[in-house]
């Protein structure tokens, strides 16, 4: 009976979403306040109903109700409670429920925090977002019903995919979806503005906090997903240019471009058409990622569905929403004013350059991801586009972007002095160059390009702080005065600097982990040792254990530095008894910013074990840098100026010229 309540709540949510999708838009067209006020009420009610349905599904997992097909396929009575909860979104049906729950959550947040929006804009935004909700609720109810029954109910479940039985799954998908789905709001703002035919600086200021929130959560989600793959799959890599990895990376790149473009539009009322296009494109890439994961066209650890019917349904959603949005854009774009003009050498120009590199990089990843799929569908030929392609095409686009990043905040709006900005970065460039030379000196035989890239990362980090130092006046005014100015700087300025600093940190980690890591693959017996990166690893013994739903061989290792024992490591091979699926649990020990990574392989006939050892130089900087970037995003979000609408311009009195305000 309780499960039927969850199913009924989902159907009722669809009915309410249909009301939200039609009545407020009609009210906005007629300028009818009563009809427009339906939007926030229905948005909150839809959230309540979807949350109720999701709670019922979660209960079914917690009590191991195997009368539900999805619970039987993805759970087991002996699973730990935490994995029963995460198992709700560890499958296709449940993950789509989480997708829709976050979608309606953002709609309710707009209803609650968008009271300062013009009534017509809010009604159109919530109406457009409701149409997305309707589409995905129909998708769930017609092709992916999580409340489908089994009769008779099995006595035991088939267990959750073993590689998903990990604590990382408790945080990675929800955070990733908060970013992925969060861009639906910027999409709704863009389509709503095109419907209304009015886009100005106020629109950009209203959009920017939502884009920033989605970008921040997506940053954390991608970073946690990378780390989960790194330690859970036992392969020692942090990124493989997997098509599904690319599916989340492309919206991140486009979302980064959207953030910078919206800033130009807010400050100078320029790039209007481009900003609206980016808002549409970013969510379109999120929808494309959803299609890739759930259509069955990809085989990946991340992919959920293989049913072609589901793929066709999502493809129809893609065509309707992306095609419809671009068609509306084509109809309205010619009527939009371009806005303020600016010189090529200006902060606007720097941000346009940023957009150029980011969107070109996005296009490169898109082509590399879709080309093999298109070729196979047209000719039947199968090819693989992997890291060599992406490394050779992506890196040349990103390196100039890193060089330009510190310049943007140091340049004036409208017209700037490039030489003056460069002079403020002399110290950053010098420190970066000295770092590169130090790397080449300390790491004998280090690749010159790797050393220069690490120096580039340090240049970005120091350059990110240069704007704050300049604005506070350090070196030009007394230290106490400069310190007071520094503390009083806007939080958004700190957020920008911190995010750019994190970008530099991540670059250093990526380059160092790629260029200076070492690997050893050996067969070891208990008592034998292997040396790597100055550490001696001794294989102690192997023990067997049965825990919950799996049996495990657990290998114990001692890590020595000279004659001193500095750590114990364990790595195990697990066999999940229900699915008969093996997994490898890596042993990882962190030393400073580097890690010793050990993965246990198969048993050999002579009683030895294959052991893979990696020394990962500065690898933790990759994820630390991503977290610092996210901290910058949250810092900017805490700035009150990002939570209020831009003031409207006063009309000029007839017959009296008014001077243009200084920038």
């Amino acid at each position: 009976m309780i499960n039927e309540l969850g199913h009924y709540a989902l159907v009722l949510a669809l009915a309410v979403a249909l009301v939200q999708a039609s009545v407020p838009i009609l009210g906005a067209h007629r300028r009818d306040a009563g009809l427009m006020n339906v939007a926030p009420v229905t948005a909150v009610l839809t959230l309540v109903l979807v949350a109720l349905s999701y709670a019922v599904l979660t209960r079914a997992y917690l009590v191991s109700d195997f009368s539900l097909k999805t619970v039987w396929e993805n759970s087991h009575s002996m699973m730990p409670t935490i994995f029963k909860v995460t198992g709700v979104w560890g499958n296709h049906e449940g993950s789509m429920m989480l997708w829709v729950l976050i979608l309606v959550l953002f709609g309710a947040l707009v209803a609650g925090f968008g009271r300062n929006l013009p009534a017509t804009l809010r009604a159109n935004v919530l109406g457009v977002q409701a149409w997305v909700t309707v589409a995905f609720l129909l998708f769930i109810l017609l092709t992916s019903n999580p409340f489908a029954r089994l009769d008779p109910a099995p006595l035991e479940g088939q267990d959750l995919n073993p590689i998903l039985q990990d604590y990382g799954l408790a945080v990675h998908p929800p955070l990733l979806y908060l970013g992925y789905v969060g861009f639906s709001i910027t999409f709704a703002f863009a389509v709503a503005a095109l419907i209304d035919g009015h886009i100005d600086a106020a629109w950009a200021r209203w959009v920017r906090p939502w884009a920033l929130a989605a970008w921040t959560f997506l940053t954390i989600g991608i970073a946690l997903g990378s780390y989960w793959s790194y330690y859970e799959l036992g392969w020692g890599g942090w990124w493989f240019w997997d098509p599904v990895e690319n599916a989340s990376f492309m919206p991140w790149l486009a979302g980064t471009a959207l953030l910078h473009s919206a800033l130009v539009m807010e400050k100078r009322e320029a790039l209007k058409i481009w900003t609206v296009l980016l808002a549409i494109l970013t969510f379109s890439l999120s929808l494309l990622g959803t299609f890739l994961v759930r259509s069955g066209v990809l085989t990946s650890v991340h992919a959920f569905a293989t049913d072609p019917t589901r793929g066709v349904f999502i493809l129809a959603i893609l065509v309707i929403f992306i095609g419809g949005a671009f068609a509306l854009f084509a109809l309205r774009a010619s009527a939009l004013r371009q806005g303020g003009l600016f010189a090529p050498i200006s902060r606007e120009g720097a941000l346009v350059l940023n957009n150029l590199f980011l969107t070109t990089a996005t296009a490169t990843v898109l082509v590399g991801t879709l080309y093999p799929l298109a070729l196979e569908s047209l000719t039947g030929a199968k090819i693989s586009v992997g890291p060599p392609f992406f490394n050779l095409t992506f890196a040349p686009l990103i390196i100039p972007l890193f060089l330009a990043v510190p310049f943007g905040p140091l340049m004036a709006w409208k017209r700037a002095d490039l030489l003056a900005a460069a002079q403020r970065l002399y110290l950053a460039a010098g420190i970066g160059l000295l770092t590169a030379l130090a790397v080449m000196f300390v790491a004998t035989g280090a690749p010159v390009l790797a050393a220069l890239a690490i120096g580039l990362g340090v240049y970005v980090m120091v350059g990110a702080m240069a704007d704050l130092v300049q604005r506070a006046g350090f070196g030009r005014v007394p230290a106490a005065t400069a310190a007071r100015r520094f503390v009083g700087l806007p939080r958004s300025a700190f957020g920008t600097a911190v995010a750019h600093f994190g970008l530099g940190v991540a670059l250093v980690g990526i380059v160092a982990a790629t260029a200076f890591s070492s690997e050893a693959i050996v067969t070891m017996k208990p008592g034998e040792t292997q040396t790597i990166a100055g550490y001696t690893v001794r294989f102690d013994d192997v023990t067997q254990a049965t825990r919950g739903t799996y049996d495990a061989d657990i290998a114990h290792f001692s890590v020595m530095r000279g004659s001193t024992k500095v750590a114990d490591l364990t790595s195990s091979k697990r066999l999940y008894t229900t699915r008969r699926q093996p997994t490898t649990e890596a042993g990882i020990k962190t030393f400073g910013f580097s890690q010793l990574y050990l993965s246990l392989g198969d048993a050999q006939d002579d009683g030895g074990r294959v052991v893979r050892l990696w020394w990962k130089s500065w690898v933790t900087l990759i994820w630390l840098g991503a977290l610092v970037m996210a901290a910058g995003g949250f810092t900017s979000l805490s700035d009150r100026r990002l939570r209020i609408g831009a003031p409207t311009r006063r009309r000029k009195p007839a017959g009296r010229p008014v001077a243009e305000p200084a920038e």
Side-chain angles (χ1 to χ4, degrees):
M1 182 64 184
I2 294 179
N3 292 329
E4 279 68 30
L5 175 62
H7 191 190
Y8 178 72
L10 207 58
V11 174
L12 193 57
L14 173 61
V16 175
L18 281 168
V19 174
Q20 180 188 340
S22 53
V23 173
I25 293 179
L26 178 62
H29 178 70
R30 295 180 175 179
R31 297 300 192 266
D32 186 322
L35 295 179
M36 287 190 288
N37 286 334
V38 170
V41 176
T42 50
V44 173
L45 182 56
T46 305
L47 171 62
V48 171
L49 291 169
V50 173
L52 173 61
S53 181
Y54 189 87
V56 170
L57 182 62
T58 302
R59 174 201 167 273
Y61 273 84
L62 288 173
V63 301
S64 297
D65 184 354
F66 300 121
S67 68
L68 291 186
K69 183 180 179 181
T70 183
V71 179
W72 171 68
E73 290 178 337
N74 301 284
S75 189
H76 192 283
S77 60
M78 296 296 292
M79 274 172 49
T81 299
I82 181 63
F83 296 149
K84 290 182 178 180
V85 173
T86 61
V88 177
W89 57 72
N91 59 88
H92 171 73
E93 291 82 4
S95 66
M96 286 309 305
M97 284 289 291
L98 179 64
W99 208 101
V100 172
L101 178 63
I102 293 175
L103 182 67
V104 297
L105 171 63
F106 272 97
L109 289 174
V110 172
F113 294 100
R115 297 174 185 174
N116 62 323
L117 295 173
T120 55
L121 179 61
R122 183 172 71 162
N124 283 327
V125 166
L126 291 175
V128 171
Q129 212 248 4
W131 278 116
V132 180
T133 304
V134 167
F136 279 96
L137 284 175
L138 282 172
F139 173 73
I140 290 175
L141 291 169
L142 297 179
T143 72
S144 311
N145 184 6
F147 298 101
R149 289 283 199 165
L150 293 174
D151 188 19
L155 296 177
E156 189 55 86
Q158 294 185 324
D159 205 4
L160 179 65
N161 186 337
I163 63 174
L164 301 181
Q165 295 188 39
D166 182 81
Y167 292 103
L169 192 68
V171 289
H172 163 54
L175 289 170
L176 190 70
Y177 283 11
L178 281 168
Y180 228 44
V181 183
F183 283 115
S184 66
I185 295 300
T186 61
F187 172 83
F189 266 96
V191 175
L194 290 172
I195 292 172
D196 193 47
H198 180 68
I199 303 175
D200 56 13
W203 179 90
R205 175 164 286 193
W206 289 317
V207 165
R208 204 151 67 90
W210 300 103
L212 182 57
W215 177 88
T216 303
F217 283 118
L218 187 58
T219 301
I220 302 174
I222 291 174
L224 292 179
S226 168
Y227 190 66
W228 169 79
S229 174
Y230 169 77
Y231 75 78
E232 175 62 21
L233 301 184
W235 65 302
W238 57 273
W239 192 263
F240 193 65
W241 293 106
D242 180 282
V244 184
E245 291 176 334
N246 296 346
S248 60
F249 188 46
M250 287 185 290
W252 186 87
L253 290 171
T256 306
L258 172 62
L259 279 175
H260 292 85
S261 180
L263 178 62
V264 175
M265 183 175 168
E266 177 188 336
K267 298 295 185 182
R268 298 284 303 144
E269 286 205 53
L271 304 183
K272 290 182 180 180
I273 295 176
W274 178 242
T275 304
V276 171
L277 180 61
L278 279 176
I280 295 173
L281 178 64
T282 303
F283 184 60
S284 298
L285 291 170
S286 295
L287 290 178
L288 177 63
T290 302
F291 169 74
L292 292 175
V293 174
R294 301 170 195 285
S295 63
V297 300
L298 295 178
T299 300
S300 167
V301 66
H302 309 81
F304 284 118
T306 58
D307 183 358
T309 304
R310 294 169 175 172
V312 171
F313 201 113
I314 296 181
L315 186 60
I317 294 175
L318 273 171
V319 171
I320 292 171
F321 284 99
I322 298 178
F326 280 118
L328 182 60
F329 175 81
L331 288 173
R332 293 286 197 181
S334 61
L336 298 177
R337 291 191 304 108
Q338 288 294 329
L341 300 177
F342 53 87
I345 304 301
S346 62
R347 186 177 297 191
E348 297 96 323
L351 294 174
V352 169
L353 183 67
N354 159 291
N355 270 224
L356 176 64
F357 284 117
L358 285 171
T359 51
T360 306
T362 305
T364 299
V365 178
L366 181 65
V367 170
T369 303
L370 295 185
Y371 177 71
L373 304 177
L375 184 66
E376 182 179 355
S377 64
L378 293 174
T379 67
K382 293 187 177 182
I383 65 169
S384 175
V385 176
F389 167 81
F390 291 105
N391 292 340
L392 288 174
T393 57
F394 188 80
L397 293 170
I398 292 302
I399 290 175
L401 177 62
F402 277 101
L403 288 170
V405 162
F407 277 89
L410 295 173
M411 300 179 77
W413 294 104
K414 201 170 183 179
R415 186 182 300 276
D417 186 340
L418 183 61
L419 179 60
Q423 288 173 341
R424 296 170 187 170
L425 291 172
Y426 279 167
L427 179 61
I431 294 175
L433 182 59
L434 288 175
T435 302
L437 293 174
V439 170
M440 287 187 282
F441 177 77
V442 173
T444 305
V448 174
L449 289 179
L452 290 175
I454 290 175
L456 178 61
V458 173
Y459 156 77
V460 172
M461 285 188 277
V462 179
M465 299 296 107
D467 178 51
L468 301 180
V469 172
Q470 291 291 328
R471 294 175 67 169
F474 284 102
R476 301 194 311 271
V477 299
T481 303
R484 286 195 300 271
R485 289 183 182 178
F486 184 83
V487 173
L489 289 175
R491 292 181 186 176
S492 58
F494 282 105
T496 299
V498 170
H500 289 174
F501 186 91
L503 189 65
V505 172
L507 176 61
V508 171
I510 290 169
V511 175
T514 302
F516 303 119
S517 295
S518 54
E519 177 183 4
I521 304 176
V522 294
T523 300
M524 300 179 69
K525 295 180 180 179
E528 294 183 343
T529 62
Q530 175 65 34
T531 301
I532 186 170
Y535 292 91
T536 300
V537 180
R538 185 182 67 220
F539 187 5
D540 293 331
D541 56 37
V542 178
T543 59
Q544 283 76 39
T546 298
R547 296 175 182 171
T549 58
Y550 65 87
D551 299 325
D553 291 342
I554 306 172
H556 303 268
F557 298 84
S558 296
V559 181
M560 316 291 289
R561 184 76 170 180
S563 60
T564 305
K565 182 178 180 180
V566 294
D568 291 308
L569 276 180
T570 61
S571 178
S572 63
K573 294 285 289 185
R574 295 178 180 178
L575 179 64
Y576 284 78
T577 53
T578 301
R579 292 192 175 225
R580 307 305 299 174
Q581 182 174 336
T583 66
T584 300
E585 299 297 314
I588 301 174
K589 179 63 178 178
T590 302
F591 296 95
F593 292 118
S594 301
Q595 288 186 332
L596 180 63
Y597 187 111
L598 186 151
S599 179
L600 182 68
D602 296 326
Q604 303 299 298
D605 294 338
D606 61 357
R609 289 273 186 167
V610 175
V611 178
R612 298 188 70 176
L613 292 165
W614 287 274
W615 174 255
K616 297 289 184 178
S617 295
W618 300 356
V619 69
T620 58
L621 292 181
I622 298 172
W623 305 294
L624 178 61
L627 295 179
V628 172
M629 281 192 278
F634 285 125
T635 302
S636 291
L637 278 173
S638 69
D639 193 325
R640 183 177 177 273
R641 297 181 305 165
L642 266 71
R643 301 195 300 273
I644 60 175
T648 57
R649 292 180 180 270
R650 294 182 179 179
R651 293 186 179 274
K652 299 177 182 180
R656 290 185 59 192
V658 179
E660 183 71 14
E663 292 295 332

